[in-house]
Amino acid sequence: MKYIESKKNDEIKQLKKLSATKNIRKTGTYMIEGFHLVREADQYEQEFVKLLVTEKYEDDRLVKKYHDIAVTISEDVANDLSETKTPQGIFAVIKVNEENDLTDFSGKWVMLDDVQDPGNVGTIVRTADAAGYDGVITSLDSADFYQPKVQRSMQGSQFHLPIYRMDINRAINLAKKSQLKIYGSQVNAKAKPYNELTKIDNYALVMGNEAHGVTKEVLGETDENIYIPILGKAESLNVAVAAGVLMYGLQTL
Amino acid sequence: MKYIESKKNDEIKQLKKLSATKNIRKTGTYMIEGFHLVREADQYEQEFVKLLVTEKYEDDRLVKKYHDIAVTISEDVANDLSETKTPQGIFAVIKVNEENDLTDFSGKWVMLDDVQDPGNVGTIVRTADAAGYDGVITSLDSADFYQPKVQRSMQGSQFHLPIYRMDINRAINLAKKSQLKIYGSQVNAKAKPYNELTKIDNYALVMGNEAHGVTKEVLGETDENIYIPILGKAESLNVAVAAGVLMYGLQTL
């Protein structure tokens, strides 16, 4: 197995650039880190491009499986590549697994209209996974699924359910053609309280930007606009919390 | 009004130290930033120690009200004090408003057992406020309410409902003496699904550490341990999302 000792190695320098969204999009690959996540990527049949491990992982089953593309790295390189303070010493470069075609568009979906904060986008994907949703679609101006901060919050949920990134209006039109009901979320007491809805099986729930909410244009395209009653004095909820309340709320109607 | 031009001014240097939790606790004061938050602090009768504004706020009603303790600062000082990239130029130093005595301990409470992430603590306080809860108690090892990152997530909810910081076992004992039912939250399918509970009006919901959950010791003291059903493949939820799902879930049983 090839051994890379120096963090100044060209291959390592290139990999470090994979933390930038534009390079993830350009190469169609991104880097994941940590034994648990790398093993899950393997279990969920992600396409591996490279596996980088420190010596202690050299005899691991995963390294043997990916022997052709595995590289040993020094602790120094592991520290340099890592997003954490105490790296485990295992990294994989895998292919972006976003779907391109929306076929079989049924069930319960979450759509994000310009959600900017990486932690919010990642947390919403994780929650959609936990709440048994069928997929997540983000608008083109939302935080990118594969940037490191989003990944950290997704905790591997990108392997469990389909995620798409596309023009939000196109997504809504496709959902409508597929007979999904569209729920827009609003901080507006004139909208319908979510807990007064009737349970249905096929819908898309649209969540909006942290400061401005779902755009007016999109709210005009929905079948029903819903809200979470504010029972105290706060003006609104964090969007990831609101998404969680709504996702579980609609599942347990 | 006194004018401070240089960020090297001793008073400014002292104020900058207020971003550290130990100095907040030592002085019993903390700094808030932004017009909206400062105005709310006034509305909710927080005790002001100092008000610092750039020239454009000099004629504001608030500045007139707090004339005795108001100081004008340069844009340079505002930039130095600010936690944001584009400061509004208004700051207040106010007294920590944590309650010391738990009297009138009834209604719906949230207790945090070693929640470490500042964003999670702040978001949970904001959600408790929105969901109409009566107060939040954190353990002594949770992130401190008044550190800047917690504040940013609370968005002023600390003015709307009582918040306490105390030994978690003491908090649970006090709640029990006050006839509150204690719900522990668990990531454990053997616990009771939250949506199968019967609605009650007086309870404390205990949320736990991001990695380890509620401590065994505390789970042994609860009346009922509850969980959020995981319907997909995620292993767990973010604790702030879980708290939101449970808080609204218990309110809408």
Side-chain angles (χ1 to χ4, degrees):
Chain A
M1 246 164 79
K2 187 160 78 176
Y3 178 70
I4 302 179
E5 184 168 3
S6 166
K7 61 188 185 190
K8 287 178 184 159
N9 174 287
D10 278 344
E11 213 171 318
I12 300 303
K13 281 194 206 158
Q14 288 302 319
L15 286 178
K16 285 210 69 173
K17 289 185 186 159
L18 272 187
S19 62
T21 306
K22 68 170 183 187
N23 294 323
I24 292 169
R25 291 290 159 192
K26 202 162 73 180
T27 62
T29 63
Y30 68 110
M31 193 161 68
I32 58 173
E33 173 177 356
F35 188 74
H36 183 79
L37 204 56
V38 172
R39 191 177 54 186
E40 249 205 314
D42 174 58
Q43 278 166 358
Y44 284 95
E45 300 181 338
Q46 302 299 299
E47 194 172 337
F48 280 58
V49 174
K50 197 171 291 200
L51 183 65
L52 302 104
V53 297
T54 52
E55 274 182 41
K56 68 171 179 274
Y57 288 106
E58 278 189 343
D59 292 327
D60 194 88
R61 186 195 64 80
L62 267 175
V63 177
K64 294 208 165 99
K65 176 172 176 185
Y66 293 104
H67 188 264
D68 289 353
I69 53 166
V71 177
T72 311
I73 53 173
S74 65
E75 298 287 341
D76 197 33
V77 169
N79 282 321
D80 195 48
L81 285 177
S82 181
E83 294 277 332
T84 70
K85 279 180 191 167
T86 52
Q88 293 179 14
I90 179 163
F91 305 83
V93 178
I94 62 178
K95 287 256 174 88
V96 160
N97 69 345
E98 249 169 46
E99 320 276 333
N100 284 312
D101 296 321
L102 266 185
T103 52
D104 192 20
F105 200 41
S106 65
K108 301 174 178 75
W109 289 72
V110 180
M111 294 184 181
L112 307 185
D113 181 13
D114 190 18
V115 175
Q116 288 290 316
D117 181 81
N120 286 338
V121 171
T123 301
I124 291 171
V125 175
R126 180 181 174 192
T127 308
D129 180 10
Y133 275 58
D134 293 282
V136 178
I137 300 173
T138 70
S139 63
L140 298 171
D141 47 8
S142 294
D144 196 290
F145 289 123
Y146 298 102
Q147 56 165 280
K149 280 185 185 172
V150 178
Q151 273 198 60
R152 201 147 54 226
S153 304
M154 283 198 295
Q155 302 215 344
S157 286
Q158 75 270 31
F159 306 143
H160 304 159
L161 80 176
I163 53 178
Y164 296 83
R165 185 174 169 83
M166 66 171 74
D167 179 87
I168 190 78
N169 295 305
R170 190 178 147 232
I172 286 171
N173 284 334
L174 283 169
K176 283 185 171 180
K177 277 187 194 155
S178 306
Q179 315 297 324
L180 267 65
K181 191 161 184 172
I182 315 291
Y183 292 131
S185 63
Q186 263 192 304
V187 184
N188 178 353
K190 286 180 194 155
K192 188 165 185 131
Y194 74 95
N195 51 321
E196 291 178 12
L197 293 170
T198 306
K199 189 169 184 169
I200 57 170
D201 291 327
N202 293 287
Y203 60 85
L205 168 66
V206 189
M207 304 300 302
N209 176 268
E210 287 83 352
H212 310 295
V214 178
T215 51
K216 267 191 188 169
E217 192 190 350
V218 170
L219 286 175
E221 291 293 319
T222 57
D223 294 300
E224 183 103 70
N225 291 327
I226 63 176
Y227 90 113
I228 299 173
I230 300 288
L231 309 167
K233 293 175 195 135
E235 285 170 15
S236 63
L237 287 161
N238 162 279
V239 66
V241 171
V245 170
L246 290 175
M247 282 190 253
Y248 269 96
L250 298 182
Q251 285 283 37
T252 55
L253 281 171
Chain B
M1 246 165 77
K2 186 161 78 174
Y3 178 70
I4 301 180
E5 184 168 3
S6 166
K7 59 187 184 190
K8 288 178 183 160
N9 174 287
D10 278 343
E11 212 171 319
I12 300 303
K13 280 194 207 160
Q14 288 301 318
L15 286 177
K16 284 210 70 175
K17 289 186 186 161
L18 270 188
S19 61
T21 307
K22 67 170 184 187
N23 294 322
I24 292 169
R25 291 290 158 191
K26 201 162 73 182
T27 61
T29 62
Y30 68 109
M31 192 161 69
I32 58 174
E33 171 177 359
F35 189 74
H36 182 78
L37 204 56
V38 172
R39 190 177 53 187
E40 249 205 315
D42 174 58
Q43 278 167 358
Y44 285 94
E45 300 181 339
Q46 303 298 300
E47 194 173 336
F48 280 58
V49 175
K50 197 171 290 199
L51 183 65
L52 301 105
V53 297
T54 52
E55 274 183 40
K56 68 171 179 277
Y57 288 105
E58 278 188 344
D59 293 328
D60 192 89
R61 187 195 62 81
L62 266 176
V63 177
K64 295 210 164 94
K65 175 170 176 185
Y66 293 103
H67 188 263
D68 290 352
I69 53 166
V71 176
T72 311
I73 54 174
S74 65
E75 298 286 341
D76 198 31
V77 169
N79 282 321
D80 195 47
L81 285 178
S82 181
E83 295 277 331
T84 70
K85 280 181 189 166
T86 50
Q88 292 178 15
I90 179 163
F91 305 82
V93 177
I94 62 178
K95 287 256 174 89
V96 160
N97 70 344
E98 248 168 50
E99 319 278 333
N100 285 311
D101 296 320
L102 266 186
T103 52
D104 192 20
F105 200 39
S106 65
K108 301 174 179 77
W109 288 72
V110 180
M111 294 184 183
L112 306 186
D113 180 13
D114 190 17
V115 175
Q116 287 292 317
D117 181 82
N120 286 338
V121 171
T123 301
I124 291 172
V125 175
R126 179 180 173 193
T127 308
D129 180 12
Y133 275 57
D134 293 281
V136 178
I137 300 173
T138 71
S139 62
L140 298 171
D141 48 7
S142 295
D144 195 291
F145 289 123
Y146 298 102
Q147 54 165 281
K149 281 186 185 170
V150 178
Q151 273 197 61
R152 200 147 55 224
S153 305
M154 283 198 296
Q155 301 215 344
S157 285
Q158 75 269 32
F159 306 143
H160 305 159
L161 81 175
I163 53 178
Y164 296 84
R165 184 173 170 85
M166 66 170 76
D167 179 87
I168 190 78
N169 294 304
R170 189 178 148 233
I172 287 172
N173 284 333
L174 283 169
K176 283 184 173 181
K177 276 187 196 154
S178 306
Q179 315 297 327
L180 266 65
K181 191 161 185 173
I182 315 291
Y183 292 130
S185 63
Q186 263 192 304
V187 184
N188 178 355
K190 286 180 194 154
K192 189 165 184 133
Y194 75 94
N195 51 321
E196 292 177 11
L197 293 170
T198 306
K199 189 168 185 172
I200 56 171
D201 291 328
N202 293 286
Y203 60 85
L205 168 65
V206 188
M207 304 301 301
N209 175 267
E210 287 82 353
H212 310 295
V214 177
T215 52
K216 268 192 188 168
E217 192 190 349
V218 169
L219 286 175
E221 291 292 318
T222 57
D223 293 300
E224 182 103 69
N225 290 326
I226 62 176
Y227 89 113
I228 299 173
I230 300 288
L231 308 168
K233 295 178 195 127
E235 285 168 17
S236 63
L237 288 161
N238 163 279
V239 65
V241 172
V245 169
L246 291 175
M247 282 190 253
Y248 269 96
L250 298 183
Q251 285 283 37
T252 55
L253 281 171

